[in-house]
Every structure is written in C-alpha cells, then in structure tokens.
Amino acid sequence: MIMNEKCFHIKTYGCQMNEHDSEKLAAMLAQMNYLEADRLDQADLIILNTCCVRENAELKVYGNLGEMKHLKEKNPDLILAICGCMMQQNHVVEKIRKSYPFVDLVFGTHNLHRFPELLVNAQSMEGLLVEVWDNEEEIAEDLPVERKYVSKAFVNIMYGCNNFCSYCIVPYTRGRERSREPEKILEEIHQLAAQGTVEVTLLGQNVNSYGKTLGEKVDFADLLYLIHGVPGIQRIRFMTSHPADFSEKLMEAMANLKKVCNHLHLPVQAGSNRILKEMNRKYTRETYLDKVQKLKSKIPGIAITTDIIVGFPGETDEDFEDTLTLVKAVGYDAAFTFLYSVRTGTPAAEMKNQVADEDKMRRFNQLVAAVNEMGLANNQRIMGETLSVLVEGISKNNPDRLTGRTETHKLVNFAGKKEWIGRIVPVTITDAKTFSLLGVCPLEDDDV
Ligand code: 5AD
Ligand code: SF4
C-alpha cells in the first residue's frame, strides 16, 4: 500500500465552536492519511480557521498570512487553506483574492463537510478555489471528529443564532438557528462514552433555544435529562446560555441532574438597561439579577461566569457604573471582558456615538481589576474544600504537577500520577490564585 506521508497544521482562532470545527477537519485529514505536524514549517497543508467576532482576531489572521507568504516561497507545493467565520464575509474574500494571491483554498462555515473534495480540487488546479455557502440547507451529520482529549469532548447541539444582538457578527456568519435531532446527539454521546469520554460540553450559540427548529418536541432542559441517562458520562457542561431564554425549567433541570456541572456561563454584556436595550439583548439588569439570585438559592455553590463588553456606542460613565455594580452584585467567578469592536454589517457599527478609545481603556482596566478581585475572593472562599477534579494532563508550567478542572470549571494544579489523566479524582484546595487553584490529592499515598 502506498502511504500518503503528508502533514497538516491547523491554526484555530476564536471560540469553542471553531475549535470543534478544527477537530472535524483534523479527522477528515486523518482519513486522508495526513499526519498532524506540530510546526508550520513541517506542514504540506496549513489551514487557518478564522474568527471575526472582534477586529483583533481578524488582524491576527492577516498578520499570520504575511508569515504564510514566506513559507509558500520556501515550499511552493504547500497548500494554504482559510476557512471559518471571516470567510462568510464577501469583503474578506475579496481582500484575500487581491492582497494574498498565494492562498489556495477558501471555504466557509456552512460547507465544512465538503472540505476533502475541495482540498483535492485545490491541489489539482492553479490559483485560488473559493466555495462559500450563504446557508446550510441541512445539518451535515456523521462527520468524523478527531478529539483533542479522550476524557472530555465537545458536542454540537445546534448551529447559528437568531438573536441579532446589535454588536454581533455571528448571526451573519453562522446563519440561522438550527438544532440537531436529539437522536443524533444521543447517538454521538453514547459513542463517546463507549470510547471513554466522561465529560461532554454541549455547544451552541444559544443553547437555551435548542429545539425551536424541531417543532418544540424537545427543549434544552429535556435534552439534558436525555443526556443525563447516558451511562459512563459523568459531567455535562454547556455553552452559551442567553439570559433572556434561561427558563425556570432549565434551572430545575440543572438543580435536579447530578451530572450537570454547577457552573453557568451567562453572558450579561452590560449592566445598564439603556445599553442592554441598544444591544438588543431582550432582558433588563433586574431580570438578569433575579435569575442569578434564584440560581444561587437553588444550586448552592454554583459558579457563574460571564462576558462583558466595554465601550458600546453611547456608553456613558454612568452606564459603565451600572456594569460595575452589576458585576459586584453577581460576584462572578470569572469574566471575559472585551473592548467593543466595530463589526461592519451590524447595526451598532452604524451608531454615531462611538466611545473614545481612552474612555474605553480606562473603563476596561477598572472592570478587569474588579473582576480579578472578585475571582480571587471566590477562589479563596473554597480553600480547604475537597472537590472532584477531572484530570486533563500535565501542567504546562510545572511538569511535576497535574492539571484539571473542578465542576465549577476552575483550574487546579496538584501533584499526582500520570495514570490519573482522564479520571475524576478528589483534590483538597490548599492555595487560591486569581485564575487557578493549588491542591493536594488525598489519593496520592494510597494509590500504589
Ligand atoms: N465587540 C466586542 N465584543 C464582542 N463580542 C461579540 N461581538 C463583539 C463586538 N463587536 C463578545 C460578546 C460575546 C463574546 C463571544 O464576544 O461578549 O458574548
Ligand atoms: Fe452574537 Fe447575541 Fe447570537 Fe451571542 S446571542 S452569538 S452575542 S447575536
């Protein structure tokens, strides 16, 4: 048999949805006998899986394309492909055509499953091959997936978004909301469990509206009950939840189902009702805080994390103060904080009252300080507790330590045996930092 000895390297930008798409691309390439290369200069095929949620992510891609040009000059047989959210925008594809003529293949988010055929076609022709679909007619099922970890896996439950938050490009690049059939999701999770997966993260832009395109025969809470019944799966996570659609029924499901982790990522984006309205978020600070209160009383010890945008058009110091007071009222365990970034094609990009950069930066720094202080205080509160930790691997900073995550999604480093990787073990927390915890595992001495 003649083996194809070609190597690929995928660079992924952006969210978990993109990371999971890259896992699918890697699996398609494995089926084509490609091997994964650690370094760009070892690869015969480089794929950039792009993100366009904020301008920074786009700038990174253009920066990396400069580097690709040199690699192409050194190795004219190198195939360079670009995919992901950026490619769903016409002006980006036009810019690639004009300014980066050495790119071989461009495809989008809706035709990922067409990649093997597109690759073969791109290899056999000169110049750039572009195939970007505006919509995905049907969800492509049964794509292979090359999982990064055995113990934990991402599972798409839905695609696209119908919310049209006024700052966000995602509804334009990922298209309309579409839910996968529950049977297909369960089949995938049963297979994962059979291969040793203990934790699944259900992915969707707004998991709380799961099922709407299926004639409402099953909603997200129902889906959680179904997945909870899969033997072998010990932890269920999900992201992202839109606060407007976060129902009492879902809260009950989270409280009742032991395998659903006591962590909720609930992006608030802003604390001022006026800004929330301009953002088209469809909830108020009061209804948000009310849901958080109920969650905390129903699920003691739940960790709540969020996304916050600073400097949305028209945001005043008073509006920002509302964000700060909301952040303190919730007492988040962690928050992703973003400077508002103008996205062409979104309603907010047309708003006249853009905030000056220095005001944005000042508020951003204030917010980060508040969030970090709170994160540290929350971490300090759990010192001395013994928590179950899914061991993910060896710590990057200290090869003598293992690293893993608590149910509340906190990162814990502790001494232990390599054989524990992929298992859930108890860890007693001995030290708290802003972004991680240190601990000791009581199993250490017994487990010979
Ligand atoms: N500018 C800044 N942040 C944004 N996000 C989405 N669009 C923008 C934008 N135009 C943030 C939101 C979202 C997260 C994934 O990215 O906080 O929840
Ligand atoms: Fe973007 Fe809003 Fe949809 Fe999230 S819910 S993907 S922020 S439009």
Side-chain angles (χ1 to χ4, degrees):
M1 190 169 60
I2 301 169
M3 287 292 287
N4 183 340
E5 292 271 294
K6 287 192 169 167
C7 293
F8 72 94
H9 186 96
I10 305 179
K11 245 177 137 53
T12 309
Y13 307 77
C15 67
Q16 279 150 333
M17 200 70 89
N18 263 16
E19 271 180 39
H20 190 38
D21 282 350
S22 291
E23 291 180 333
K24 293 177 189 171
L25 290 168
M28 292 184 230
L29 286 164
Q31 287 187 343
M32 297 165 86
N33 289 330
Y34 272 80
L35 302 173
E36 185 158 7
D38 291 334
R39 293 202 335 245
L40 284 172
D41 60 0
Q42 295 166 331
D44 306 283
L45 163 68
I46 296 175
I47 306 177
L48 305 184
N49 188 2
T50 65
C51 164
C52 60
V53 165
R54 285 171 296 278
E55 193 186 8
N56 268 353
E58 287 198 356
L59 295 178
K60 261 193 226 154
V61 172
Y62 290 126
N64 286 149
L65 275 171
E67 190 186 340
M68 302 298 142
K69 188 173 179 203
H70 297 300
L71 290 171
K72 274 287 257 204
E73 280 162 2
K74 274 197 217 142
N75 173 12
D77 293 333
L78 172 69
I79 295 283
L80 178 57
I82 320 187
C83 63
C85 292
M86 266 173 86
M87 301 306 116
Q88 291 297 137
Q89 304 173 95
N90 287 338
H91 69 270
V92 173
V93 178
E94 282 321 302
K95 182 165 172 173
I96 302 244
R97 262 189 221 283
K98 268 209 207 108
S99 312
Y100 304 93
F102 50 89
V103 174
D104 300 286
L105 171 62
V106 162
F107 58 104
T109 55
H110 299 301
N111 59 343
L112 200 77
H113 58 286
R114 299 245 318 125
F115 169 64
E117 191 178 328
L118 294 173
L119 177 61
V120 171
N121 292 345
Q123 277 165 333
S124 62
M125 65 180 259
E126 287 288 312
L128 173 66
L129 172 61
V130 176
E131 188 183 289
V132 178
W133 294 1
D134 286 341
N135 285 304
E136 184 185 62
E137 292 297 310
E138 270 180 32
I139 293 174
E141 288 290 354
D142 304 321
L143 286 186
V145 186
E146 187 89 357
R147 313 268 174 186
K148 193 169 160 205
Y149 299 95
V150 176
S151 53
K152 57 176 208 168
F154 295 129
V155 176
N156 287 117
I157 62 164
M158 59 195 299
Y159 300 90
C161 182
N162 285 357
N163 282 306
F164 290 95
C165 301
S166 62
Y167 51 81
C168 185
I169 194 85
V170 169
Y172 309 91
T173 61
R174 291 267 169 185
R176 294 292 59 70
E177 191 179 291
R178 307 166 304 281
S179 294
R180 280 179 78 194
E181 291 289 342
E183 295 77 16
K184 289 286 179 191
I185 297 170
L186 283 169
E187 195 181 299
E188 182 175 346
I189 296 178
H190 272 287
Q191 272 169 13
L192 286 168
Q195 291 158 15
T197 297
V198 292
E199 178 183 295
V200 286
T201 302
L202 312 176
L203 293 181
Q205 246 77 42
N206 175 17
V207 293
N208 298 340
S209 60
Y210 173 79
K212 285 191 182 151
T213 57
L214 303 172
E216 316 241 355
K217 65 177 179 187
V218 26
D219 64 15
F220 184 55
D222 300 328
L223 184 70
L224 286 181
Y225 280 95
L226 291 171
I227 295 170
H228 198 264
V230 178
I233 296 299
Q234 296 179 53
R235 283 181 168 188
I236 304 168
R237 300 186 183 281
F238 52 86
M239 65 186 325
T240 293
S241 276
H242 192 296
D245 301 316
F246 191 84
S247 66
E248 296 258 339
K249 181 175 171 188
L250 179 53
M251 231 182 265
E252 287 295 330
M254 288 182 75
N256 291 341
L257 298 174
K258 275 211 314 283
K259 294 180 183 178
V260 175
C261 290
N262 56 351
H263 167 222
L264 181 67
H265 187 66
L266 197 63
V268 70
Q269 312 298 2
S272 142
N273 280 337
R274 198 176 64 79
I275 296 294
L276 285 172
K277 194 155 195 292
E278 292 287 310
M279 286 178 161
N280 191 29
R281 289 292 287 177
K282 306 182 193 99
Y283 55 84
T284 62
R285 85 183 256 128
E286 289 77 22
T287 53
Y288 183 95
L289 285 171
D290 184 51
K291 286 184 185 182
V292 166
Q293 245 8 78
K294 283 190 179 135
L295 262 165
K296 285 188 169 180
S297 63
K298 276 204 166 90
I299 310 172
I302 188 169
I304 300 180
T305 55
T306 200
D307 293 345
I308 303 169
I309 299 176
V310 171
F312 181 83
E315 184 189 72
T316 61
D317 279 338
E318 289 71 43
D319 292 318
F320 175 66
E321 226 11 77
D322 286 344
T323 296
L324 276 184
T325 56
L326 178 134
V327 160
K328 287 174 188 157
V330 175
Y332 290 110
D333 289 84
F336 294 108
T337 46
F338 305 109
L339 287 166
Y340 168 71
S341 165
V342 176
R343 303 286 68 208
T344 310
T346 62
E350 304 301 317
M351 295 179 184
K352 296 282 169 268
N353 42 3
Q354 302 288 330
V355 175
D357 283 348
E358 60 266 27
D359 289 332
K360 275 193 204 170
M361 269 325 282
R362 177 174 41 81
R363 292 175 197 161
F364 183 80
N365 290 335
Q366 233 181 311
L367 178 65
V368 170
V371 164
N372 289 351
E373 196 183 314
M374 217 170 337
L376 180 61
N378 280 326
N379 284 349
Q380 282 168 339
R381 220 164 283 142
I382 53 176
M383 290 245 287
E385 286 184 27
T386 300
L387 306 169
S388 53
V389 170
L390 172 57
V391 187
E392 289 181 2
I394 309 277
S395 161
K396 269 196 207 121
N397 303 329
N398 183 344
D400 296 332
R401 287 201 182 127
L402 297 175
T403 185
R405 296 240 175 215
T406 63
E407 247 196 76
T408 49
H409 208 241
K410 292 180 193 284
L411 196 70
V412 190
N413 295 309
F414 60 102
K417 299 188 169 71
K418 273 211 303 275
E419 298 78 66
W420 297 351
I421 295 172
R423 279 176 52 191
I424 294 178
V425 299
V427 177
T428 307
I429 306 306
T430 53
D431 199 6
K433 303 181 181 193
T434 306
F435 303 110
S436 67
L437 302 162
L438 280 182
V440 288
C441 177
L443 288 184
E444 207 176 347
D445 294 326
D446 313 337
D447 198 61
V448 187

